[in-house]
Each structure stands twice: as C-alpha cells, then as structure tokens.
Amino acid sequence: MTPDSAAFPDPTVQPVPPSVVNRVDAADSTLHNPQRAVLSLGSNLGNRLETLQGAIDALEDTPGVRVKAVSPVYETEPWGVEPGSQQSYFNAVVLLRTTLPPSSLLERAHAIEEAFERTRDERWGPRTIDVDIVAYQGVISDDPVLTLPHPRAHERAFVLVPWHDIEPDGEVPGYGALVGLLPTVGDQGVTRREDVELVLPR
C-alpha cells in the first residue's frame, strides 16, 4: 500500500450488508445511552487470526458492549525490533457501542489480554494479543492510566488504515479526520490480507 492508496480506499471493499447493520442496530436497543468506542487489536504469536476473532467474540459477550463493525485484517511488521526477529502482526480495528465507562472498558480489554496469556515482560516484545482503546466517544484525556485518544494512534498506519475501511468519515479526537491523517503516515509496511477474514459476531 502506498500513501496514495491509503488516502483512496480500495474500490473493491464492500460495505457491511444492510441486513447485518440492521441486526447490530437492533442489538443496540438493549443498551441504555450507548457510547461509541474504537479498539485496535493486534497479535503476532500463535494462531493470530483465531486469537483476534476470540478477542472480538469476547468483546461481544461483554455485558454493555455491542460490536458494530470489524475491519479487514492487515499484516504489519513489528515496531522497535530487528527485522525478522519476530513474526509479523495481524492487526484489525473494531467499532463498539457500549454503556461501559472508559475505565471499565479498559478493565475488560486487560481481562481479554490475560485470558489469551498476554505477557508484558519486555517493551516491543511479541504478544498473543493487544487490545487497545483508540478512542472513546469524543473524549480527550491525559490520564496516565488511560490516555484518550491513544497517544500514538494518529501516527500508526496499522490503526488508521483499518479504521478508515470501516469508518471513512472517522476522526481521531484532537487530531482530525482519518482521511487527512492517512497521507501523513504512509503505508508503514501495512499490507491487507485478502485471504483471511474476521467475522462480525451475531
């Protein structure tokens, strides 16, 4: 993917079928005053696709959370390590509607990481799963426990590219529209995997 192709999405990408949208919108009726959240998922250990799907299913199984959209899968080289020293990442972005406050959603994200035996022994080390809250509604916060939006999201193609796929008019709070940010980050070695797919929970 080139910077130009990041700015202009693949015309073969199809929108979510209306039947799926209607089904997910109907599920929203079980939530009272839901808020919108964007989460980034990544895995470079074990069965990466299976782990990402398991994390998505676990989010959907969380009371007060509905998964609204799931991006295509992208493959990305690890950051901050010698080339070839780790397996590449599978990355995806999910859009949620949730009644959980940011702190509770963070607790749930950490619980999912723990369930998949995520370890934090070394910075930039390999991991079974990352579940990061990228944005929550339009909240901007410098709380060190949960900085919103994620402090590096606006610089990461592996976040911006899949997010743009499922929300072309999305914005990173405080930084601007995705369509404006994408040309500034280039492709960063992010490659769409046409041969694998994540499923929106039903």
Side-chain angles (χ1 to χ4, degrees), residues 24-99:
V24 175
D25 285 345
D28 270 352
S29 65
T30 65
L31 303 180
H32 178 65
N33 191 30
Q35 306 296 304
R36 173 183 159 281
V38 180
L39 273 63
S40 174
L41 309 178
S43 173
N44 78 330
L45 283 179
N47 188 323
R48 297 167 293 172
L49 185 68
E50 184 176 283
T51 299
L52 292 183
Q53 186 65 59
I56 292 167
D57 294 343
L59 286 166
E60 176 66 18
D61 288 342
T62 303
V65 172
R66 291 290 178 270
V67 178
K68 295 281 289 182
V70 179
S71 79
V73 177
Y74 285 82
E75 191 159 18
T76 310
E77 290 303 311
W79 279 78
V81 299
E82 289 294 325
S85 64
Q86 291 183 25
Q87 182 170 255
S88 59
Y89 276 84
F90 274 6
N91 291 103
V93 165
V94 297
L95 302 183
L96 307 180
R97 297 283 279 176
T98 182
T99 55

